[in-house]
Amino acid sequence: MDSTAAIVLSIQAAARDLGLPVPDKKQAAFVIGLGLMEAMQTVMPGLAPAQYQRMVERYRYHYLSRGEDTTLFDGVRPMLEDLLGQGYFLAVATGKSRVGLNRALAQSGLTSLFHATRCADETFSKPHPAMLLELCRELGQDKGRTVMIGDTTHDLQMANNAGAAAVAVQYGAHPPKMLTDLNPLYCAETVPQLHDWLNGNA
């Protein structure tokens, strides 16, 4: 989902609400994929615990007030439907909360395409391997046969920490150089490129 701009603007607005230094776009985008509290602690280090809670509250206010912010990248739905039709297990490991993920999947009409999901408020945040390992156990799949597709270094590091393979996509939150430094199996520039690679290598 193309939510980078909405997340960045919501983090910046939350900081502004509280009279705190406003992180720039690069700083705010870097924490995408982390659990919400971990993201705030990373992008705004050194605050008192109560301020982090206020940051989370204001972030949620601004993010939810943006309404329909779950635009899919072109080609995502056909790719997921194709992979599902081929018999692959599809799962989500996300820094979103359970409420946030359910809302996003419902708005985008993707709920029925995934066999399992795991959120940051249910286990450890990325890059800890727990989310990925828990999904593997739930689906009865070996981590050695699992591919984590991600647009952030947090995604790729989680895969590395779990002993699973990783594929990077360049159309999300983190720049290509940061992704390729973590040696993913492949780094796709577009969704069609990712789809073609998966069909040829999965």
Side-chain angles (χ1 to χ4, degrees):
M1 296 177 183
D2 189 4
S3 58
T4 297
I7 292 171
V8 168
L9 290 173
S10 297
I11 290 174
Q12 292 174 328
R16 201 173 290 114
D17 286 352
L18 301 179
L20 298 170
V22 177
D24 63 28
K25 180 179 178 180
K26 182 178 179 181
Q27 291 170 320
F30 177 76
V31 302
I32 292 175
L34 298 177
L36 195 46
M37 186 61 74
E38 290 82 1
M40 297 308 170
Q41 291 168 344
T42 301
V43 77
M44 305 285 288
L47 301 183
Q51 286 180 300
Y52 286 123
Q53 187 57 47
R54 289 286 291 144
M55 276 290 295
V56 167
E57 292 168 0
R58 297 310 298 166
Y59 168 84
R60 285 182 172 143
Y61 168 79
H62 287 288
Y63 189 82
L64 293 174
S65 70
R66 294 180 180 279
E68 296 286 334
D69 50 25
T70 54
T71 303
L72 298 178
F73 289 104
D74 290 342
V76 165
R77 187 183 302 278
M79 177 181 67
L80 292 173
E81 291 173 345
D82 178 42
L83 294 171
L84 188 66
Q86 293 183 55
Y88 288 104
F89 286 111
L90 304 179
V92 175
T94 179
K96 288 184 179 294
S97 67
R98 171 53 58 188
V99 170
L101 177 63
N102 287 350
R103 172 178 174 268
L105 291 178
Q107 287 180 349
S108 59
L110 296 182
T111 304
S112 63
L113 299 184
F114 292 101
H115 298 91
T117 58
R118 193 68 84 252
C119 299
D121 60 351
E122 298 168 335
T123 186
F124 294 98
S125 177
K126 303 171 188 177
H128 193 285
M131 270 196 267
L132 204 49
L133 295 175
E134 289 170 12
L135 287 167
C136 288
R137 286 195 295 270
E138 181 175 340
L139 297 173
Q141 297 301 300
D142 186 275
K143 62 187 180 182
R145 291 173 49 82
T146 299
V147 176
M148 174 71 194
I149 300 167
D151 68 334
T152 72
T153 56
H154 314 304
D155 297 319
L156 306 188
Q157 287 170 340
M158 177 175 67
N160 291 342
N161 292 339
V167 168
V169 295
Q170 298 181 20
Y171 46 83
H174 286 185
K177 179 63 166 61
M178 291 179 65
L179 300 172
T180 56
D181 282 349
L182 290 169
N183 300 311
L185 293 177
Y186 181 64
C187 195
E189 295 181 9
T190 65
V191 175
Q193 277 189 8
L194 173 65
H195 193 174
D196 289 344
W197 186 90
L198 290 171
N199 277 330
N201 295 274

